[in-house]
Amino acid sequence: MSAVPILRIENVTKDFQIKRSALSGENLTLRAVNDVSLDVYPGETLGVVGESGCGKSTLGRTILQLTRPTQGRILFDGNDITRLSRKQLKAIRQDIQIIFQDPYSSLNPRMKVRDIIAEPLENFSSDRSAITRRVHEVMEIVKLPVAYADRYPHEFSGGQRQRIGIARAIAIRPRLIVCDEAVSALDVSVQAQILNLLKEIQRETQVALLFISHNLGVVRYLSHRVAVMYLGRVVELASEQALFENPKHPYTSALLSAIPEADYSRRGTRKYLSGDIPSPIDPPPGCPFHQRCEKVQDVCRVETPVLDALAPEHWAACHFPNVSDKGIRDGA
Ligand SMILES: Nc1ncnc2c1ncn2[C@@H]1O[C@H](COP(=O)(O)OP(=O)(O)OP(=O)(O)O)[C@@H](O)[C@H]1O
Ligand code: SF4
Ligand SMILES: [Mg+2]
């Protein structure tokens, strides 16, 4: 893995202003992403997991500059892209692409597949024959018959539509792809094919992937490192192996033990996540997880833990992190 990150997210916060009532016009602040710092390296997949509403998609959208962060910087290849003009952003869009959960709604139903895949290329080139060559090339890479180039999205299965989405994303040779729940809508067997395709593309091109999913199994399969988000914050960051085999944060342990079919269920005490996720409009004081944490102590209710390095390349934000794998087995 390269020593220089292709993407550096520095202390990014994203607030949304929500109207409390149309009558009073009073605004409330919803902090969807809270002081997140992450790096992504060329050829790496960084997984981002967490329950619904924890800010995964908002983080992805700030990277793509579909929404501007309220605070913080996002460096792509060393340049802060949060301050770019619309025109300068266009050039960056060549390097950063996105794959969505639902390819059907993100693919224009009135366009032929060849035009859908060609569209991003046309923003940067007017050489028709080179564009057609590239469209055919990427259709082969994603294993779609070139003979289908004149068909429309509705003529394809869900898995094939996701292949079209991937072909469109890679056509322009991006250096980073944000995958937002890219396989969540697919059947398990199709999921595996798409994940393998993404792995293959990454091996060939060294493209970096920011892989957002609420599905831990899928994240584990694809990611080199994993960030766990809770209420807008990164609460744990580690290599795939360290995170899944030796989670330090009680929230991560609870997420893992809630996977019914996984080996984690053999670890003795199952920790189910109880209670509701707090509202990001009115977050709890102290540790954001304290209302649901079985290890909570008084200090957790008042002091927000910071992300600390607890082992080499392993960070967690907890006053009482799990000390070892054994600690997790014993429910300590
Ligand atoms: N445009 C917006 N305006 C107001 N609030 C928003 C907006 N976009 C997201 N939010 C809120 O920000 C928080 C984070 O949402 P986000 O979609 O990033 O979560 P997520 O982790 O992607 O969830 P899911 O797993 O359901 O996709 C949620 O409370 C959501 O309601
Ligand atoms: S800081 Fe306290 S409440 Fe928060 S996760 Fe750690 S032990 Fe639980
Ligand atoms: Mg989302």
Side-chain angles (χ1 to χ4, degrees):
M1 198 163 69
S2 157
V4 184
I6 183 73
L7 179 75
R8 169 155 276 186
I9 302 168
E10 282 183 2
N11 308 104
V12 164
T13 291
K14 176 65 190 181
D15 292 340
F16 292 110
Q17 300 304 317
I18 310 280
K19 279 219 174 349
R20 185 199 282 266
S21 95
L23 284 178
S24 69
E26 191 189 347
N27 276 341
L28 296 170
T29 300
L30 184 155
R31 181 150 291 183
V33 175
N34 194 342
D35 197 19
V36 166
S37 296
L38 291 170
D39 289 338
V40 188
Y41 293 86
E44 173 190 48
T45 300
L46 177 69
V48 179
V49 286
E51 290 164 290
S52 182
C54 70
K56 305 180 296 293
S57 295
T58 305
L59 181 67
R61 289 171 61 80
T62 61
I63 295 163
L64 290 143
Q65 295 297 294
L66 298 172
T67 184
R68 300 262 183 179
T70 310
Q71 286 168 41
R73 301 199 306 163
I74 297 177
L75 306 177
F76 183 80
D77 211 9
N79 300 311
D80 185 1
I81 57 172
T82 58
R83 293 176 209 292
L84 300 183
S85 65
R86 205 174 273 266
K87 202 168 153 199
Q88 289 167 316
L89 268 181
K90 193 181 159 202
I92 291 292
R93 295 248 154 85
Q94 188 168 2
D95 286 324
I96 311 177
Q97 289 289 307
I98 184 161
I99 300 171
F100 294 100
Q101 170 171 3
D102 179 2
Y104 199 49
S105 64
S106 56
L107 303 177
N108 186 334
R110 286 179 298 278
M111 279 169 76
K112 290 179 178 173
V113 164
R114 71 163 67 252
D115 298 324
I116 290 173
I117 300 172
E119 200 175 34
L121 294 164
E122 284 161 355
N123 289 328
F124 299 97
S125 163
S126 53
D127 182 343
R128 290 294 333 158
S129 61
I131 291 175
T132 303
R133 267 200 312 280
R134 182 66 182 152
V135 168
H136 292 171
E137 198 173 281
V138 290
M139 285 187 77
E140 275 167 20
I141 293 172
V142 303
K143 301 180 181 66
L144 278 175
V146 173
Y148 292 180
D150 288 318
R151 296 190 181 184
Y152 292 89
H154 74 267
E155 298 177 76
F156 293 87
S157 67
Q160 284 175 324
R161 283 200 289 266
Q162 198 52 293
R163 288 176 195 270
I164 301 169
I166 294 171
R168 180 182 156 97
I170 63 169
I172 199 140
R173 297 187 173 86
R175 294 156 76 198
L176 171 72
I177 304 177
V178 174
C179 306
D180 191 352
E181 304 283 2
V183 297
S184 303
L186 304 173
D187 292 345
V188 172
S189 61
V190 184
Q191 276 186 357
Q193 292 166 16
I194 298 294
L195 294 174
N196 286 334
L197 175 63
L198 288 170
K199 271 192 176 185
E200 212 175 294
I201 291 169
Q202 185 175 58
R203 226 181 5 252
E204 294 292 317
T205 64
Q206 288 301 295
V207 67
L209 301 177
L210 186 95
F211 190 83
I212 295 169
S213 178
H214 67 277
N215 183 330
L216 282 145
V218 160
V219 165
R220 177 164 209 190
Y221 187 69
L222 204 68
S223 306
H224 300 99
R225 291 185 305 135
V226 180
V228 178
M229 286 184 74
Y230 189 78
L231 215 60
R233 296 173 188 271
V234 171
V235 295
E236 184 155 7
L237 172 65
S239 70
E240 167 270 310
Q241 193 178 10
L243 190 112
F244 281 83
E245 292 182 4
N246 189 12
K248 302 277 186 201
H249 198 285
Y251 176 59
T252 312
S253 309
L255 277 181
L256 295 187
S257 68
I259 305 177
E261 73 278 20
D263 285 340
Y264 319 113
S265 60
R266 294 200 216 109
R267 292 180 171 210
T269 322
R270 295 274 294 270
K271 298 180 216 312
Y272 290 100
L273 271 167
S274 58
D276 293 331
I277 307 168
S279 164
I281 296 175
D282 185 21
C287 171
F289 187 56
H290 84 247
Q291 292 151 325
R292 303 170 78 194
C293 182
E294 57 184 28
K295 293 174 72 180
V296 62
Q297 306 281 322
D298 286 347
V299 64
C300 307
R301 298 187 178 91
V302 285
E303 264 180 46
T304 308
V306 295
L307 206 54
D308 259 343
L310 302 177
E313 305 300 314
H314 195 155
W315 291 265
C318 174
H319 295 305
F320 306 99
N322 305 317
V323 284
S324 69
D325 192 34
K326 184 171 183 303
I328 297 157
R329 264 199 300 275
D330 297 345

